[in-house]
Amino acid sequence: MWTRLKRLYHKMGSPKWFYEITTRWSKWFMAVGSILMLTGVVWGLAFAPADYLQGNSFRIIYIHVPASLLSQSAYIIMAVAGLVGLVWKMKMSFVVGKVIAPIGASLAILSLLTGAIWGKPTWGTWWVWDARLTSMLILLFLYFGVIAIYNAIENDEMANKAAAVLSIVGSINIPVIKYSVEWWNTLHQPATITLTKKPTMAPEMFIPLMLTILGFYCWFAVWVFARTRNEILFKERKTNWVKKLLLSEHKKTTGAQL
Amino acid sequence: MFFDDFSSFLYMGGHAQYVWLSYGLATVIVAINFISPVLTRKKIIKDIERQLRREQK
């Protein structure tokens, strides 16, 4: 067991292996994610009943909750990747952390925007400086911070280290987001989904939500894999396997020699 | 379907602007996440191929 795990770890550290395996995995994540999203969105938009208090605006939940959850999960993955990179000097780990930052930022933006749009008919305001909303805004700025570090620092090794440290320190914000609705009096409603209690939502509202959450996670994997493969291609551009790969792809698409 | 007809589906019980704006934004952000790495990939491959051609000469 242990040796197998160790072998997997070493394989994951190899850019070529990562490139090839994620090419295969991506197709599956793409197919499953698309089916889940399509089903969940159609179900949530057209078939789920309207909320008895909020009416049809509650249908924003099928975007807002997956985007919010994923933007936080993505942050945790980014921080763990940074930690693994710092402790075990695993280069691939830094690459994954680096490519997550822009994706996570886009999801945090989606969460904040859909939250604001949902807030208008529900609370009568686009924005309040309450704990949940403010800590989500901080999450977005943490992502911006990581992106800025990579843009500002030319030296790869320095940028990796600085970004990893910021990711790890910033992860203190994640429990703050999670418990903000319990610790402070907020306008934001308490968690929709908890692992410990049975869902309070009706199943015909809840199941499509699970589908869009899982669908978003699958798509997230596709996005991370695609960006990581780009980083690998660039970093390994001088190696033989990349040259061979490009030559064979070139032949396939144009039928001509390079 | 929950709604009686297609126009009441679009109307969303008076919440049309909020619901459709949210889903529109989601579509844009999802599309960016899918398209952006494809464009980057094309650019990287083009650069590497140019480099390879120069080496072959």
Side-chain angles (χ1 to χ4, degrees):
Chain A
M1 178 68 191
W2 181 242
T3 44
R4 276 186 64 184
L5 269 179
K6 242 171 112 177
R7 208 177 305 146
L8 181 74
Y9 178 83
H10 282 293
K11 270 198 209 155
M12 269 163 58
S14 144
K16 180 172 184 282
W17 184 83
F18 193 101
Y19 188 97
E20 286 163 357
I21 197 82
T22 57
T23 307
R24 258 183 287 155
W25 288 349
S26 283
K27 287 171 194 152
W28 288 102
F29 278 111
M30 183 67 193
V32 174
S34 303
I35 292 167
L36 289 170
M37 282 304 281
L38 195 69
T39 320
V41 165
V42 170
W43 190 342
L45 269 179
F47 293 91
D51 186 77
Y52 75 103
L53 266 180
Q54 303 182 359
N56 285 297
S57 67
F58 106 95
R59 293 178 200 283
I60 295 171
I61 201 172
Y62 301 110
I63 302 292
H64 178 72
V65 166
S68 314
L69 275 178
L70 190 50
S71 65
Q72 294 166 65
S73 308
Y75 193 91
I76 295 171
I77 301 171
M78 184 174 81
V80 169
L83 190 68
V84 170
L86 284 183
V87 175
W88 289 289
K89 319 259 176 267
M90 195 203 216
K91 287 263 165 58
M92 279 308 300
S93 190
F94 283 129
V95 175
V96 170
K98 177 185 178 183
V99 302
I100 285 179
I103 306 172
S106 78
L107 291 163
I109 290 172
L110 183 59
S111 162
L112 286 163
L113 288 177
T114 53
I117 296 167
W118 196 1
K120 188 65 187 163
T122 315
W123 306 333
T125 177
W126 301 101
W127 183 264
V128 280
W129 288 102
D130 90 341
R132 172 56 74 82
L133 280 67
T134 309
S135 52
M136 270 307 288
L137 192 64
I138 291 171
L139 181 76
L140 176 62
F141 289 148
L142 284 168
Y143 277 129
F144 283 162
V146 172
I147 298 170
I149 284 175
Y150 276 109
N151 285 336
I153 305 180
E154 289 273 317
N155 182 305
D156 267 1
E157 213 167 310
M158 292 252 294
N160 282 339
K161 277 186 190 157
V165 169
L166 177 62
S167 310
I168 295 163
V169 172
S171 60
I172 190 76
N173 188 44
I174 296 292
V176 174
I177 298 175
K178 180 161 166 28
Y179 294 108
S180 56
V181 286
E182 293 169 25
W183 292 343
W184 291 282
N185 268 321
T186 61
L187 207 49
H188 195 283
Q189 63 199 56
T192 310
I193 306 160
T194 50
L195 292 173
T196 45
K197 281 181 236 138
K198 263 176 58 174
T200 47
M201 272 173 108
E204 60 268 37
M205 291 170 155
F206 186 70
I207 298 168
L209 180 59
M210 292 315 288
L211 295 180
T212 55
I213 290 172
L214 291 174
F216 252 107
Y217 273 87
C218 289
W219 277 359
F220 172 74
V222 176
W223 302 337
V224 172
F225 289 160
R227 281 175 186 262
T228 306
R229 280 207 302 278
N230 284 344
E231 294 281 328
I232 292 173
L233 270 188
F234 182 73
K235 279 194 207 309
E236 305 266 299
R237 64 189 180 281
K238 300 243 156 67
T239 62
N240 270 325
W241 75 268
V242 167
K243 287 179 189 168
K244 248 189 234 161
L245 180 95
L246 291 189
L247 282 172
S248 74
E249 269 184 30
H250 193 82
K251 230 185 242 172
K252 238 187 280 169
T253 48
T254 61
Q257 293 282 347
L258 196 63
Chain B
M1 195 160 100
F2 171 77
F3 299 94
D4 296 329
D5 50 50
F6 190 66
S7 64
S8 68
F9 168 68
L10 290 181
Y11 183 60
M12 281 286 157
H15 284 149
Q17 71 270 43
Y18 306 116
V19 173
W20 296 120
L21 185 58
S22 294
Y23 278 79
L25 283 169
T27 310
V28 171
I29 285 177
V30 164
I32 292 172
N33 276 314
F34 273 119
I35 296 166
S36 150
V38 175
L39 297 179
T40 313
R41 185 185 158 82
K42 278 194 180 142
K43 195 184 167 296
I44 292 172
I45 289 182
K46 222 179 177 178
D47 288 349
I48 300 176
E49 282 180 348
R50 195 178 302 138
Q51 187 66 37
L52 279 178
R53 237 173 277 145
R54 206 173 302 148
E55 280 170 22
Q56 277 175 359
K57 265 171 204 166

